[in-house]
Amino acid sequence: MLQLLLISTLPAFTLMLVAPAATHKHCKLVRELGLVALLLVRELLHHSASAACAWGGGGGGGSSNKERERERGVRIMPSKAKPEPALAAREEGEGTGAELNAAALPLLDLPELALERVLEELEPPSLAAMACVCVALRDRCSADTLWGRHVNRKWGRVLGAAARKEWEAELAARRSSGALPRPARRRSLADSLACAWPFSWITCRWLKGDAVAAEPAAATPSPLPSPATDTVAAWYRAVECGEFSFPAQVYNREDGHVGFVLSCYDAHLRYDRRTDTFTARYPPHGRKPAKEESGVQWSRVRAPPVSTPAHDLHASGCLGDLRPGDHFEIQWRKNKDFPYGWWYGVVGHQETCNANEHLCRCHEDDMVVLEFKHYAAGSRWRQTTVSRKDHREKGDETDGFYGGIRKLQTSDEISTWRKFWPVDVLN
């Protein structure tokens, strides 16, 4: 038996070795055959270990043989009929009966609130695996309320209204082009084993695999579906698996580039589960092509705080409230072909003001002094002024163009900017 199992796995391992030279269609077959081979080897090792323990536990040769004969005879003898569960419960007493009743209680027979509470405690991989159990649990585990909590918990800081709007636009485009729904995909062998085998890397391809969302074409639904495409679960899966590139903003783009210190630029981000980082694609700058940056950490990503597109001037509604010491973000771009980035600064005092908080009247002046203190005194980037009453884009091709202003309202926003403060003063 051992030799037969080993021989049966050799073709699958041989296919795995030649997989790089195979076509895409054959690669999928090779992957699934290799997976089956690994599962067979696991079973082989498990049964071999069990057999070794059973046959190698005896003492001497004669007594060992007798014990084996007795065991063989016990196996051949028919077993007695098991008592009914109710009779067994009565014979074992109240304590054991209570344990049997608790163990036999089906999950779906729990009260509605208790079942919801259980599902709320599950992490996304466990919740996705639970959806593979049956149709009833699939519907419950795909509820928007459950997955909405997971979206807010993991992605709430980087997914904004623009990302949700773009996801809905993508779904609408698929519907209009006829790409949604797509024909039901035939279940592969790995799919059939996904809910039955206790491996984390194979469990429930509903969350991790390459299955495509599809409405059931036959009366019997597939037991391993992807979530419905217009659900929050599908959105979570698309972002988690890197299938959806969403709009966000990145602090200090091209990390380490001195020209972008204390700035925040729009980009489209794609998540990489293997490294737990993002790949950012920035829009083209004039004639320069779009740039990509990989390995972007979570701390450098935020959801856009305003809905203003990167090439549009932001309407500044806070100019009348700005006082010395207030923290702000201002739009700036090198020339009018470039998109705006948001740059951090602090409101300063007028030259004629002695900076005494009791005597300062800078907030009554028509001009607002904007300071960027990470630049050295005397630098052309250190300071600029804007009008409170008639603020428009100002600047030139030499110093760039300043756009709309946004006052920072919370200490969290300010502290996030301060984390990126440069070690050395810039010139």
Side-chain angles (χ1 to χ4, degrees):
M1 184 62 181
L2 176 63
Q3 291 83 355
L4 291 176
L5 283 174
L6 287 174
I7 293 172
S8 66
T9 59
L10 287 177
F13 281 116
T14 304
L15 286 174
M16 291 179 69
L17 293 176
V18 301
T23 61
H24 177 72
K25 181 178 180 181
H26 292 160
C27 281
K28 188 172 182 181
L29 176 61
V30 168
R31 181 183 62 185
E32 294 181 358
L33 288 176
L35 180 59
V36 173
L38 292 176
L39 299 178
L40 288 175
V41 170
R42 178 184 180 277
E43 287 300 309
L44 172 63
L45 295 176
H46 175 72
H47 289 298
S48 300
S50 301
C53 293
W55 294 99
S63 61
S64 164
N65 291 334
K66 291 179 180 179
E67 290 176 2
R68 291 170 186 167
E69 291 296 332
R70 282 199 299 270
E71 290 177 2
R72 221 178 263 125
V74 170
R75 291 194 191 99
I76 295 174
M77 290 175 62
S79 60
K80 295 181 180 180
K82 294 183 179 179
E84 294 294 329
L87 295 176
R90 282 197 294 270
E91 290 175 0
E92 294 179 3
E94 293 183 2
T96 308
E99 293 177 2
L100 286 173
N101 291 336
L105 180 63
L107 179 64
L108 292 176
D109 287 349
L110 288 174
E112 190 74 18
L113 293 178
L115 180 57
E116 288 183 4
R117 190 72 182 90
V118 170
L119 297 180
E120 287 174 2
E121 293 297 321
L122 297 179
E123 292 297 320
S126 301
L127 192 60
M130 186 71 76
C132 298
V133 175
C134 62
V135 175
L137 282 177
R138 182 187 65 191
D139 295 338
R140 289 178 177 273
C141 294
S142 302
D144 287 350
T145 53
L146 289 175
W147 286 96
R149 294 187 182 94
H150 292 298
V151 169
N152 293 332
R153 186 182 305 166
K154 182 169 184 178
W155 307 102
R157 195 170 58 84
V158 298
L159 289 179
R164 182 64 184 179
K165 185 177 180 180
E166 194 158 311
W167 170 250
E168 292 174 352
E170 182 174 317
L171 293 182
R174 291 182 188 177
R175 293 190 188 97
S176 61
S177 64
L180 181 68
R182 303 172 92 174
R185 185 176 65 92
R186 183 180 178 182
R187 292 178 61 204
S188 62
L189 181 58
D191 286 333
S192 302
L193 296 172
C195 283
W197 223 274
F199 287 115
S200 60
W201 46 271
I202 187 177
T203 300
C204 196
R205 292 173 67 182
W206 181 84
L207 179 63
K208 300 190 291 186
D210 54 357
V212 181
E215 293 183 0
T220 304
S222 172
L224 256 178
S226 289
T229 316
D230 57 349
T231 62
V232 178
W235 189 28
Y236 183 99
R237 179 187 181 279
V239 177
E240 176 76 18
C241 297
E243 298 173 359
F244 173 61
S245 178
F246 59 91
Q249 292 180 346
V250 180
Y251 292 99
N252 289 9
R253 60 169 289 178
E254 301 174 39
D255 192 23
H257 195 296
V258 69
F260 295 104
V261 174
L262 284 185
S263 68
C264 196
Y265 274 79
D266 287 69
H268 269 75
L269 275 68
R270 189 179 299 276
Y271 180 62
D272 186 350
R273 297 176 59 199
R274 296 171 298 174
T275 60
D276 192 29
T277 58
F278 299 90
T279 297
R281 183 176 178 83
Y282 302 103
H285 275 201
R287 296 180 180 178
K288 296 181 179 180
K291 286 189 176 182
E292 279 196 1
E293 179 186 358
S294 59
V296 178
Q297 300 292 331
W298 283 81
S299 58
R300 293 177 52 210
V301 180
R302 74 173 183 181
V306 294
S307 59
T308 308
H311 286 272
D312 294 353
L313 180 68
H314 176 66
S316 307
C318 63
L319 291 173
D321 301 328
L322 291 179
R323 294 171 174 265
D326 286 344
H327 301 257
F328 66 87
E329 299 174 4
I330 186 170
Q331 289 177 310
W332 182 87
R333 58 182 174 180
K334 187 175 181 180
N335 60 55
K336 295 198 174 184
D337 293 331
F338 281 33
Y340 283 113
W342 291 94
W343 296 74
Y344 169 76
V346 181
V347 178
H349 291 271
Q350 301 287 341
E351 292 183 2
T352 57
C353 179
N354 60 6
N356 186 311
E357 61 178 349
H358 300 290
L359 301 177
C360 177
R361 292 291 181 268
C362 294
H363 59 280
E364 298 176 355
D365 199 288
D366 289 342
M367 304 300 292
V368 182
V369 177
L370 307 178
E371 291 186 336
F372 307 93
K373 295 184 178 181
H374 52 290
Y375 287 101
S379 170
R380 62 173 178 167
W381 309 111
R382 170 78 180 202
Q383 188 181 95
T384 189
T385 58
V386 296
S387 172
R388 292 182 189 270
K389 298 180 179 179
D390 187 27
H391 175 56
R392 303 176 183 176
E393 183 183 60
K394 58 162 289 187
D396 51 44
E397 296 290 338
T398 303
D399 295 334
F401 296 87
Y402 294 90
I405 300 175
R406 174 179 171 266
K407 181 180 177 181
L408 301 182
Q409 303 289 348
T410 65
S411 58
D412 289 341
E413 287 184 302
I414 298 171
S415 62
T416 300
W417 276 109
R418 301 290 293 185
K419 290 178 184 177
F420 302 103
W421 194 269
V423 177
D424 301 320
V425 179
L426 306 179
N427 294 317

